Amino acid sequence: MATKYMQAKFLISAEKLSQCPPYTLPEFPLLGRSNVGKSSFINALANQKKLAKTSNTPGKTRLINFFQFSDKFMIADLPGYGYAKVSKEAQDRWQKYLEEYLLEREQISSLIQLIDGRHEIQKNDYQMRQWVEAYNLPIFTVVTKMDYVPKSKTLNVIKNIEKQFGGIVLPFSAVDNRYNEKIFEHILGFKSSQDNNLSL
């Protein structure tokens, strides 16, 4: 049976690693520019319009927001990069906390980098990827807003990102659920190194 949606709920927000929940499910942090559609990605997979709050103001997410999908996995929505209206002090603090989380959080199975399919890969997308690769962290790519890309150009967009980033590249649209099953299939292919039973 096709897995297009999965029961999901918001769990908790955390500013830094010490505040993260002690659950043992496989965890997938979302990396992406502030307007790439991370909240829409979460809402579409959950088939809920308001589970993750969307905003027209870039940089609105300033915490790590944890979402549990059934008893299968967790998605961690991270502050977007490329936010302009945030003080240098705040950016430095977020960077410190996020690096600590990404490098030391044992539950992380793979990072997911979201790239806007309507545009060329941006400079800070490359910078983020270089940082991830420098630490040899597991990662795959999801290309968002594919409903805005003409069908004749869909394959070219995916192939270009595969060429630039390598690894797994999956298309996604918040308004068309036909891509959801492949995303779930890939996420569920990761196995937790710990006991996956939750006591909620």
Side-chain angles (χ1 to χ4, degrees):
M1 190 174 89
T3 307
K4 291 185 177 179
Y5 304 112
M6 193 173 292
Q7 187 176 6
K9 63 182 178 181
F10 169 74
L11 283 183
I12 194 172
S13 295
E15 185 178 29
K16 50 189 175 181
L17 181 63
S18 61
Q19 300 170 347
C20 292
Y23 303 113
T24 58
L25 290 177
E27 196 162 292
F28 297 87
L30 301 184
L31 306 175
R33 290 170 56 81
S34 295
N35 58 351
V36 77
K38 294 190 300 298
S39 297
S40 297
F41 176 76
I42 294 168
N43 290 339
L45 292 185
N47 195 27
Q48 297 184 42
K49 292 182 178 180
K50 298 181 179 180
L51 179 62
K53 294 179 181 178
T54 58
S55 172
N56 293 324
T57 306
K60 194 74 173 177
T61 301
R62 302 191 180 191
L63 299 169
I64 306 170
N65 296 312
F66 292 88
F67 299 87
Q68 179 187 332
F69 281 71
S70 296
D71 60 348
K72 301 297 185 182
F73 62 88
M74 305 267 285
I75 283 182
D77 186 15
L78 307 187
Y81 50 81
Y83 33 76
K85 295 183 179 180
V86 181
S87 70
K88 181 69 164 60
E89 180 183 358
Q91 289 190 38
D92 289 345
R93 184 174 68 251
W94 293 355
Q95 183 174 349
K96 174 187 173 184
Y97 288 156
L98 289 175
E99 285 188 3
E100 180 186 38
Y101 162 74
L102 292 171
L103 294 175
E104 299 183 26
R105 178 77 165 165
E106 294 181 356
Q107 288 89 333
I108 293 175
S109 292
S110 176
L111 310 182
I112 305 176
Q113 186 171 14
L114 273 58
I115 300 293
D116 190 333
R118 302 173 300 173
H119 309 300
E120 293 294 322
I121 301 172
Q122 302 295 300
K123 181 180 179 180
N124 43 19
D125 291 322
Y126 282 113
Q127 290 173 334
M128 185 75 250
R129 193 63 163 225
Q130 288 169 356
W131 182 88
V132 169
E133 291 176 347
Y135 288 99
N136 199 30
L137 302 176
I139 190 168
F140 67 95
T141 308
V142 169
V143 188
T144 64
K145 307 188 180 183
M146 291 301 290
D147 46 290
Y148 290 97
V149 178
K151 289 185 178 180
S152 60
K153 296 183 178 180
T154 298
L155 188 58
N156 286 342
V157 168
I158 299 300
K159 291 293 185 184
N160 179 59
I161 295 175
E162 285 178 344
K163 182 179 178 181
Q164 299 298 319
F165 281 174
I168 299 294
V169 178
L170 301 172
F172 172 76
S173 165
V175 299
D176 187 341
N177 66 24
R178 73 180 187 274
Y179 299 119
N180 290 6
E181 187 173 354
K182 286 287 187 183
I183 292 170
F184 280 129
E185 186 179 295
H186 190 65
I187 288 176
L188 293 171
F190 289 88
K191 301 297 183 184
S192 174
S193 61
Q194 306 175 51
D195 182 6
N196 285 350
N197 292 324
L198 289 182
S199 54
L200 298 178

